[in-house]
Amino acid sequence: MTTLTKSQIKRKALVEATIELVNNSGFHAAPMSKIAKMANVSPATIYLYFENKQDLVNKVYIEVKAAFTEYAFATYDPKMDVEKGFEIIWKRIADFKLKECEEAMFLAQCDNTPIIDEPSRQEGIKHLQPLLDLWERGRKEGRIKPLSDYILYAYAINPLSFLMIMQKRGAFQLDEDHLEEAYQSAWSSIKK
Amino acid sequence: MTTLTKSQIKRKALVEATIELVNNSGFHAAPMSKIAKMANVSPATIYLYFENKQDLVNKVYIEVKAAFTEYAFATYDPKMDVEKGFEIIWKRIADFKLKECEEAMFLAQCDNTPIIDEPSRQEGIKHLQPLLDLWERGRKEGRIKPLSDYILYAYAINPLSFLMIMQKRGAFQLDEDHLEEAYQSAWSSIKK
DNA sequence: TAAAAAAGAATGAACGTTCATTTTTTGTCT
DNA sequence: AGACAAAAAATGAACGTTCATTCTTTTTTA
């Protein structure tokens, strides 16, 4: 249990308010004044923690992405068998997307729009390296199809984002059975 | 060759300017004044064709989605064999996403953010019915896995959006070989 | 009590939208 | 066909609002 200083609490409130407002209204309808109000803070206070609105969104993106990948790889060990490693990572990602739904929605929005600047996007990608390493090993061992990382990601990981968004919009319910089906689809699309 | 009236030309210019600006800058950084300038039109003129900015974006979304699905199903015939039908549709969709890249980017952005209102989103979904019908038939004939439409879409169709965006960002090149690999992944993830 | 943090009010710029005019098109009459 | 008037389309400037950001003052912390 890490106790937060008052400063850290305020900053966290700002980050959460940003995520919620951008998720529900979009960047264009998430003014600093509303973010401040939602975080119970004066608009001016935001500028003690962030340079400007762009900086705020960039930093929220990078931090959420870091939290996402940390969660994704928390129970993974590079010494694991390729198939087992992939299953572990995939299921942790699924977990995150369903449980930390707000954060995941925010990432999806950033990944599909120009609201994040290019350096922040690059910074966010870095953290995926363990997965790319796993795939590289899998290809070398002949256990994973010799496809580019982008195609593997498109078929094995990204579908979860689509399902999470549909779930968030109430279009359908992603239960345990669905999740297992989805995992099987994911694995069968990359396994040799 | 359908000849357009002056009105239709102006409206078309507005639609294209909207797509380009929203793609490159995001909704929040696509002011009416810029859209007007890019379409060589006065800001006031936009309001002769659209009620307001929200209406403009909604209508652009619906029209682009309609063009997308019309293209997707243009060479498809419901009497086709399930596998052939899927291949035809999938490849047309891939074609569209790579050739009409701007339009496809715009759709991806709308589908992953709250910039479109709910009725317009529903309207856009309707046009996908032929694909859902094909899948329903495929399930009945035992040729397609008994998965929900959302999961089928997530694994068979949506990955193309991710690949298209990566391609647009210059991250990698989606050539003929990649495309065939992607198609095989798509089909193998839904076939029984 | 000095310094740091936070606040609310203020500021100028930029936005979406409207208004008063001008320009273009259309239809009619010669 | 050409002249003209009514209607429609289009315009640039202007409006009120809202925004991101800053400034000055107050509150909290050390």
Side-chain angles (χ1 to χ4, degrees), chain B residues 68 71-72 74-75 87-104 160 164 167 174 176 179:
Chain B
F68 164 69
Y71 190 94
T75 59
E87 183 182 353
I88 292 276
I89 293 169
W90 191 94
K91 291 195 170 165
R92 289 286 289 187
I93 290 178
D95 244 32
F96 184 92
K97 298 223 181 196
L98 294 182
K99 289 215 276 254
E100 309 297 331
C101 183
E102 289 291 327
E103 274 87 348
L160 273 170
M164 177 266 299
Q167 158 122 323
L174 189 55
E176 275 299 320
L179 215 64

Side-chain angles (χ1 to χ4, degrees), chain A residues 148 151, chain B residues 90 94 98 163 167 172-183:
Chain A
S148 81
I151 293 189
Chain B
W90 191 94
L98 294 182
L163 294 175
Q167 158 122 323
F172 90 126
Q173 187 61 33
L174 189 55
D175 58 27
E176 275 299 320
D177 290 348
H178 278 150
L179 215 64
E180 190 56 34
E181 289 168 0
Y183 171 67

Side-chain angles (χ1 to χ4, degrees), chain B residues 42-58:
Chain B
S42 159
T45 303
I46 301 181
Y47 293 85
L48 299 175
Y49 295 89
F50 304 96
E51 282 173 42
N52 48 45
K53 194 180 178 184
Q54 184 66 59
D55 180 56
L56 166 64
V57 179
N58 286 342

Side-chain angles (χ1 to χ4, degrees), chain B residues 96-130:
Chain B
F96 184 92
K97 298 223 181 196
L98 294 182
K99 289 215 276 254
E100 309 297 331
C101 183
E102 289 291 327
E103 274 87 348
M105 280 281 288
F106 181 80
L107 290 183
Q109 190 166 168
C110 292
D111 287 333
N112 287 280
T113 64
I115 66 181
I116 293 301
D117 64 20
E118 201 46 37
S120 304
R121 210 183 286 286
Q122 295 299 330
E123 173 68 27
I125 289 177
K126 280 190 202 157
H127 301 100
L128 273 177
Q129 200 55 47

Side-chain angles (χ1 to χ4, degrees), chain A residues 112-127:
Chain A
N112 286 280
T113 64
I115 66 180
I116 293 299
D117 65 21
E118 200 47 36
S120 304
R121 209 184 287 288
Q122 294 299 330
E123 172 68 27
I125 289 178
K126 279 189 203 159
H127 301 99

